[in-house]
């Protein structure tokens, strides 16, 4: 996404990260408790327990990232379009971010709403962290199962 949360060196907790973890726990709870399957019952449970704020937080942060990156994208586009033809295009000098590709598609007639882009950003953020965690767990499992290769 091209956005640095700096959660490794920052002592402050990441509100978005906590919201995603709590949201994953709530989704898992819904899977194991059949009475929470209907959306009406699940929504009532969230409101009664005050847990709907986690989903709200998980939606607010990506919108903030999207707004900042959209402003940067617009500034880059203006700078690139304002250059004299025949000069080297800055577009070739950097690899495009996921959001840059979405913004380009949107400008070329993709008609994505902010909520569509937000959903894609959340999917990419969760997929990136989950993939790493699952890979590490799988490697540890394989090492535990194959003790003969451990030194």
């Amino acid at each position: 996404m091209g956005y640095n949360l700096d959660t490794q060196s920052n002592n402050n907790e990441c509100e978005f990260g906590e919201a995603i973890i709590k949201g994953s726990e709530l989704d898992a709870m819904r899977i194991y408790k059949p009475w929470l399957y209907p959306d009406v019952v699940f929504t009532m449970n969230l409101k009664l327990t005050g847990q709907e704020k986690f989903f709200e937080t998980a939606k607010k942060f990506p919108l903030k990232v999207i707004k900042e990156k959209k402003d940067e994208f617009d500034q880059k586009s203006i700078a690139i379009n304002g250059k004299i033809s025949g000069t080297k295009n800055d577009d070739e000098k950097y690899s495009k971010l996921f959001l840059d590709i979405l913004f380009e598609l949107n400008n070329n007639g993709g008609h994505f709403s902010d909520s569509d882009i937000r959903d894609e950003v959340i999917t990419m953020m969760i997929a990136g962290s989950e993939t790493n965690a699952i890979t590490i767990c799988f490697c540890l499992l394989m090492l535990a199962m194959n003790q003969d290769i451990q030194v």
Side-chain angles (χ1 to χ4, degrees):
M1 298 295 155
Y3 190 89
N4 186 7
L5 282 175
D6 198 25
T7 56
Q8 297 294 324
S9 63
N10 194 352
N11 291 334
N12 297 335
E13 294 295 321
C14 176
E15 200 173 275
F16 176 74
E18 290 177 12
I20 292 297
I21 291 170
K22 189 61 177 174
S24 298
E25 290 171 3
L26 290 170
D27 287 342
M29 178 183 72
R30 189 175 187 186
I31 291 170
Y32 296 117
K33 296 181 179 180
W35 58 88
L36 295 176
Y37 288 178
D39 288 336
V40 173
V41 176
F42 185 68
T43 303
M44 284 183 3
N45 180 51
L46 290 178
K47 287 184 180 179
L48 290 173
T49 58
Q51 295 176 333
E52 75 274 1
K53 67 181 177 180
F54 295 109
F55 289 109
E56 290 172 15
T57 301
K59 290 178 181 178
K60 276 193 295 186
F61 178 73
L63 288 174
K64 175 185 165 195
V65 172
I66 290 167
K67 183 181 180 325
E68 289 179 19
K69 291 298 173 182
K70 177 72 172 153
D71 292 342
E72 287 178 24
F73 178 79
D74 290 340
Q75 290 174 356
K76 283 182 200 173
S77 297
I78 291 169
I80 289 171
N81 291 335
K83 288 193 173 196
I84 302 169
S85 61
T87 60
K88 185 132 183 149
N89 193 348
D90 281 343
D91 211 20
E92 298 170 4
K93 293 181 183 177
Y94 74 96
S95 60
K96 291 182 182 177
L97 301 173
F98 176 69
L99 281 174
D100 289 343
I101 294 169
L102 285 178
F103 295 146
E104 278 183 16
L105 288 171
N106 211 16
N107 288 346
N108 294 331
H111 305 295
F112 297 117
S113 67
D114 285 346
S115 63
D116 292 337
I117 295 174
R118 180 201 64 217
D119 292 343
E120 292 299 324
V121 168
I122 290 173
T123 300
M124 293 302 287
M125 288 178 166
I126 292 172
S129 63
E130 288 295 315
T131 304
N132 293 337
I134 290 170
T135 303
I136 291 170
C137 289
F138 181 75
C139 288
L140 291 174
L141 175 65
M142 290 294 106
L143 285 171
M145 291 173 62
N146 299 297
Q147 294 179 3
D148 55 315
I149 63 169
Q150 296 179 17
V151 179

